[in-house]
């Protein structure tokens, strides 16, 4: 089928047979290839997205107050909101941050799985949505759980005026004056948690879609790089509006 490779062998024998979706949370780290092959036939959604949602909400609970305070400072300095409305805006900001964190993992997963399903179809692979959604969930564990919680801790120790600069990428070693340069943009791609998720996504996409690893990488890597750069450009735009 096009450039599809051989069908990955499922982990149907031995200890893989009795492994639960919750066990896959660890197995996707220790044995990603076999785990994703198993998920191709036995996709799980509750375990990965429950963990992703819990981590996302926990990170938001730690940081939303400070991020909202940052937004209030910007609005106060620029006069975008009347002083008497700032308290209400802060409350709305905190609530919106928590609600967004609760729904973000699943919505992001749905969007990513949809794009990958279409790409697999065009590349001659298998566009099975549920296994792809499951794969995206498990592959996102490093960046959302480990990276997200570490970033939350870093935000807690950062002055309010600088919270938008907090990152777990190599850009953390560059000064604010470097924001907007290609050095900063490229350094932002060097995030160990994002790269870990990228490696898992390539492995999982190949296993679930039936594409060769090289073809899977040719699809996943450009999409990942575009998403990362878009996030950096949005950060640059936000920083350009700061009054300080």
């Amino acid at each position: 089928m096009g450039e599809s490779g051989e069908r990955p062998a499922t982990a149907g024998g031995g200890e893989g047979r009795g492994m639960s979706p919750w066990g896959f949370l660890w197995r996707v780290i220790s044995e990603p290839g076999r785990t994703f092959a198993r998920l191709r036939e036995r996709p799980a959604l509750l375990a990965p997205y429950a963990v992703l949602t819990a981590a996302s909400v926990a990170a938001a609970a730690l940081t939303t107050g400070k991020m909202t305070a940052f937004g209030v400072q910007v609005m106060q300095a620029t006069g975008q909101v009347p002083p008497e409305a700032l308290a209400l805006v802060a409350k709305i900001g905190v609530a919106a941050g928590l609600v967004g964190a609760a729904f973000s993992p699943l919505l992001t997963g749905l969007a990513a799985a949809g794009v990958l399903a279409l790409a697999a179809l065009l590349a001659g692979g298998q566009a099975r949505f549920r296994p792809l959604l499951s794969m995206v969930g498990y592959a996102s564990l490093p960046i959302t759980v480990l990276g997200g919680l570490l970033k939350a801790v870093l935000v807690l120790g950062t002055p309010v005026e600088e919270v938008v600069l907090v990152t777990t990428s190599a850009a953390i070693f560059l000064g604010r004056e470097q924001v907007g340069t290609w050095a900063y943009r490229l350094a932002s791609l060097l995030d160990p948690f994002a790269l870990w998720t990228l490696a898992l996504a390539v492995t999982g996409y190949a296993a679930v879609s039936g594409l060769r690893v090289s073809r899977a990488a040719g699809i996943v890597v450009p999409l990942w790089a575009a998403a990362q750069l878009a996030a950096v450009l949005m950060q640059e735009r936000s920083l350009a509006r700061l009054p300080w």
Side-chain angles (χ1 to χ4, degrees), residues 134-179:
S134 177
M135 180 277 293
V136 170
Y138 281 101
S140 300
L141 292 171
I143 193 170
T144 302
V145 178
L146 302 178
L149 292 176
L150 175 58
K151 187 174 180 178
V153 172
L154 294 175
V155 167
L156 290 178
T158 302
V160 172
E161 296 79 8
E162 302 293 330
V163 290
V164 290
L165 293 173
V166 173
T167 179
T168 54
S169 73
I172 197 171
F173 299 110
L174 301 178
R176 179 172 173 175
E177 65 280 0
Q178 294 293 316
V179 174

Side-chain angles (χ1 to χ4, degrees), residues 76-164:
Q76 192 172 24
T78 57
Q80 297 176 1
V81 177
E84 60 273 13
L86 288 175
L88 177 60
V89 169
K91 291 180 181 179
I92 294 175
V94 170
L98 293 173
V99 172
F103 287 97
S104 177
L106 181 57
L107 293 177
T108 301
L110 289 169
V115 171
L116 292 175
L118 177 60
L121 186 64
L122 295 175
Q126 294 187 17
R128 299 171 59 192
F129 187 78
R130 186 182 176 92
L132 285 170
L133 181 58
S134 177
M135 180 277 293
V136 170
Y138 281 101
S140 300
L141 292 171
I143 193 170
T144 302
V145 178
L146 302 178
L149 292 176
L150 175 58
K151 187 174 180 178
V153 172
L154 294 175
V155 167
L156 290 178
T158 302
V160 172
E161 296 79 8
E162 302 293 330
V163 290
V164 290

Side-chain angles (χ1 to χ4, degrees), residues 182-220:
W182 277 105
Y184 187 91
R185 293 166 183 167
L186 293 175
S188 296
L189 298 179
L190 301 178
D191 183 323
F193 303 106
L195 292 172
W196 189 355
T197 282
L198 175 63
L200 290 178
V202 170
T203 302
Y205 191 45
V208 170
S209 68
L211 295 171
R212 295 173 182 170
V213 172
S214 59
R215 189 62 183 271
I219 294 172
V220 174

